[in-house]
Each structure stands twice: as C-alpha cells, then as structure tokens.
Amino acid sequence: MTQHDERDRTDAALVTLDMDRSDPGYRAWLKEAVRKVQADANRSADTHLLRFPLPEPWGIDLYLKDESTHPTGSLKHRLARSLFLYGLCNGWIRPGRPVIEASSGSTAVSEAYFAKLIGVPFIAVMPRTTSLEKCRLIEFHGGQCHFVDDSRTLYEESARLAARTGGHYMDQFTYAERATDWRGNNNIAESMYQQLKLERYPEPAWIVATAGTGGTSATIARYVHYMQYDTRICVPDPENSCFFDGWTRQDPLASADCGSRIEGIGRPRMEPSFIPGVIDRMMKVPDAASVAAVRALERAIGRKAGGSTGTGLWSALMIIAEMVAEGRTGSVVTLLCDPGDRYLDKYYSDDWLTGQGIDIDPYTRTLDHFLANGVWPG
C-alpha cells in the first residue's frame, strides 16, 4: 500500500467516525453508556479505612484503604470506571466493537465488568502466568482472555488486536494518570482525607501507594499538592520492575528483563502514567517480604490480601519503624488492593513459594520482632 493510499484510507475512516458521531442512534447509545457507568459509582458505597493494630505507646496509627470491597474486588475498579468514561467521552469506545486491554489481571476483571455493563465485547491481553482465579473472574464478567508468553509483548499484541478487530485499545499504562480527576470528585485521595477527619492524626505523615500503571500514586500525590498538605508519598517497587531504578537514576528509558511476580504492580518499562516528579520516596521490596507481609496482615486483622498489598504494608511498617526510632507520632496510610482469595495458589501456597525459590522466614521474623519490640532489625 502506498503512502497516498494509506492517507486516503485514514481520511475515509475519519469521515465514517464523523458520520457515526452525528448519528442519533450513536448519541443515544453514548448517553446511555455514560449514564450506566456513572450510576455504578452513584450506587457504590465508599471503601473502608481499616486500622492495623500497633502498640499504643508508639503514638502512630496505620490504616489500610480497603479497595477490595469494590464490586469487582480491587483498587482497579476506580481506574476502570475512569478509563471507560474517558474512552466513551472521547468517542473511542463504540457500540458493538471490542475494548482491548493489556493487563496482568485486576484491571481486566474490572474492565470486563464495565464492558458488560454497557454491552460491548472485552478482550484481556495478559501473561500466561496470570492467576487462574483472575482468568475465571474475567470470563465470569463476559470477557475473553488472550495470553502471551512474554509480558513485554502485551502492548504490541493489544494494539494489533485492536487494529484487527476495529476495537479500542484502552491502554491503561498511558491513560491512567489523566483519566482520573486528581483534584477531587471523590477520588481515592479525597476519600482518604474525608475518612481521616475525626482521627487523632487527620493529615497522614505518609501515604504508601504501590504502582502498576502509576495512576494511583499520581492521583494521590497531585491531590496532596493541590490541597497543600504536608503528607509525603512513598511508592514501593517489587523485584523485576524498573520503576525504582528509573526514579533513582532519573532514567525514563529504564527497563527490566522479566515480569513482576507480584501481580498488579511493577513493570518492565517506565510507563507513561508513572509520574516520577510527584513522588517523595521509593523503596525496593523483595518479593519474599511482600508475601511475609500479607501473611502478617492475615494474622493481625484476619484478612487475606494480594501480594501488592504486602509490598505496600512492608514499606509502611519500615516507615513506621523510622518514626518510632525518631520519636515521631502521626499516621500512615497504605492500600489493601485486592482480596487474597485470588492468590491462594500463589502467595498463600508454600509449594508455589518453594517452586519460585522464595524464603519468607527471615522477613516474617523481622516483622514479628518489630511489632513486638518496636525495633527494626538491622
């Protein structure tokens, strides 16, 4: 095909889209689709802010924002809702055409839910190692799972599928930070501060937010700056992810050779939605520490959570250890990202840990020692 032919085909496609947008049937479908997505938010209660028990003499409160109570069971429900509204209002999501997403699981579960809600097909492009429970949930909500063997090919395969099917590649890793209204509108940051209003430390010293797309950390940090709070933002990063290296070296081209074992967070490249300039601190967290932390969480509050919650909890407790050592009081908030029943065959399976060569015992002893004595082992 010549360059001239390609330009003619593009022009023809744009004319078709213009005709579609002026069609009364499309406008009626669009209004109804937007109404359905907004109605989902309107009938959903806010998520809880749970307390993690710490010794009273420390004068420090630790909270977990429990995003597992969303209709699709994870933090990604907020993101998926925002992405669908963004795509619909931009005219990118069309009746009868599939929505396609590159996802390691939870975003795909939530997007499958919203696709079903507005009546369009959904295809999740995901690593073959994604947990079976997440695959089951995607299919439960009417989505299809399209697997790749190399997680670094997710983006290209998603774009290829969108071009082949005439669908829309949602591209959460590009649009997550701009689809959400970071100034407020009941975003996750505004919700946190509203729920902390009657606590003894209503303005947290730190908010700890892990990063997959980077959209959540960007939203929280921007809101903190916009509202002129003194809260600092820490982003923990798991093994096999490049965010920490890219942030510390100020290298937008940083990359990792393989995918993260902590589903939902960590990336092999610096994603467009990851905004380094809004973050105050990053930590590199071993995968064994993440798993030890989610198991400690279950012992403390009786709740199982996914590995990304453990990554954030480990970092939050390290920050609290610093506060205790320095005699500082205050509050720290992190996220309970999704429920642990999605990972019974992974983070709660000793056989899986053995197969991955992960030994959580040293990290479990560290947590037990700190919570009992207030001192983080050196």
Side-chain angles (χ1 to χ4, degrees):
M1 179 179 291
T2 67
Q3 189 175 31
H4 178 75
D5 291 335
E6 182 66 31
R7 184 169 61 250
D8 286 346
R9 190 176 73 170
T10 301
D11 291 344
L14 290 173
V15 169
T16 300
L17 282 177
D18 288 340
M19 292 173 62
D20 286 348
R21 289 193 180 103
S22 64
D23 176 67
Y26 165 69
R27 292 302 295 268
W29 177 87
L30 176 60
K31 288 174 66 175
E32 181 65 4
V34 171
R35 183 196 67 78
K36 287 178 177 177
V37 176
Q38 290 180 332
D40 173 85
N42 199 46
R43 63 176 177 266
S44 297
D46 203 355
T47 59
H48 301 298
L49 199 60
L50 307 178
R51 288 191 66 176
F52 184 99
L54 296 175
E56 187 63 29
W58 293 3
I60 299 172
D61 297 326
L62 172 59
Y63 303 91
L64 293 101
K65 181 69 166 160
D66 184 8
E67 296 293 285
S68 71
T69 58
H70 283 295
T72 54
S74 83
L75 169 69
K76 300 300 186 180
H77 193 85
R78 293 180 190 266
L79 172 60
R81 183 193 295 129
S82 296
L83 287 168
F84 265 81
L85 287 173
Y86 194 69
L88 285 165
C89 294
N90 281 335
W92 298 341
I93 299 174
R94 317 293 292 182
R97 302 184 191 178
V99 169
I100 294 148
E101 183 62 283
S103 172
S104 63
S106 287
T107 301
V109 173
S110 298
E111 289 187 5
Y113 169 90
F114 283 105
K116 184 177 182 180
L117 186 68
I118 67 172
V120 297
F122 178 76
I123 304 172
V125 181
M126 55 208 308
R128 199 170 297 279
T129 55
T130 301
S131 73
L132 295 177
E133 179 61 12
K134 282 186 179 177
C135 298
R136 185 192 70 80
L137 288 169
I138 292 166
E139 292 171 350
F140 173 80
H141 290 299
Q144 300 177 46
C145 298
H146 182 95
F147 297 106
V148 297
D149 294 314
D150 184 346
S151 62
R152 292 170 294 183
T153 66
L154 286 175
Y155 320 96
E156 293 80 5
E157 183 65 8
S158 298
R160 186 189 68 79
L161 269 178
R164 193 185 76 192
T165 62
H168 169 57
Y169 171 27
M170 192 73 91
D171 195 1
Q172 59 167 323
F173 298 106
T174 294
Y175 296 107
E177 56 88 12
R178 66 193 73 173
T180 301
D181 185 354
W182 52 267
R183 296 174 185 85
N185 194 22
N186 196 35
N187 67 31
I188 189 170
E190 184 179 55
S191 174
M192 286 177 182
Y193 281 92
Q194 287 295 319
Q195 291 174 316
L196 287 167
K197 283 176 65 175
L198 299 181
E199 301 299 308
R200 60 175 174 170
Y201 306 115
E203 184 176 329
W206 287 90
I207 295 176
V208 179
T210 51
T213 62
T216 299
S217 59
T219 296
I220 294 172
R222 286 166 166 168
Y223 181 81
V224 164
H225 300 324
Y226 180 68
M227 297 299 294
Q228 303 164 56
Y229 292 129
D230 292 324
T231 304
R232 301 298 179 90
I233 308 301
C234 175
V235 175
D237 202 31
E239 295 176 27
N240 304 328
S241 175
C242 69
F243 285 151
F244 179 83
D245 290 338
W247 185 80
T248 54
R249 299 198 307 254
Q250 299 183 4
D251 179 9
L253 300 179
S255 63
D257 292 334
C258 57
S260 171
R261 290 182 294 196
I262 306 300
E263 288 192 25
I265 61 171
R267 299 300 304 161
R269 70 173 191 181
M270 295 292 282
E271 300 294 351
S273 279
F274 180 72
I275 311 298
V278 301
I279 297 165
D280 297 290
R281 180 178 183 178
M282 290 198 71
M283 292 184 181
K284 197 69 175 177
V285 178
D287 292 348
S290 298
V291 177
V294 289
R295 294 191 177 193
L297 177 68
E298 183 181 17
R299 293 192 296 274
I301 68 171
R303 294 282 300 276
K304 285 185 170 69
S308 59
T309 298
T311 309
L313 179 59
W314 177 270
S315 297
L317 290 170
M318 286 190 69
I319 288 172
I320 290 170
E322 296 169 359
M323 294 171 68
V324 171
E326 296 166 5
R328 292 186 286 124
T329 58
S331 60
V332 176
V333 182
T334 187
L335 305 174
L336 199 165
C337 303
D338 61 356
D341 57 9
R342 297 181 176 183
Y343 309 98
L344 297 179
D345 59 339
K346 284 194 170 185
Y347 314 126
Y348 293 92
S349 167
D350 291 339
D351 290 341
W352 183 83
L353 293 178
T354 299
Q356 294 291 316
I358 296 175
D359 180 11
I360 68 171
D361 289 345
Y363 301 95
T364 299
R365 289 193 293 271
T366 293
L367 292 173
D368 289 346
H369 184 274
F370 169 64
L371 293 172
N373 303 293
V375 177
W376 195 271

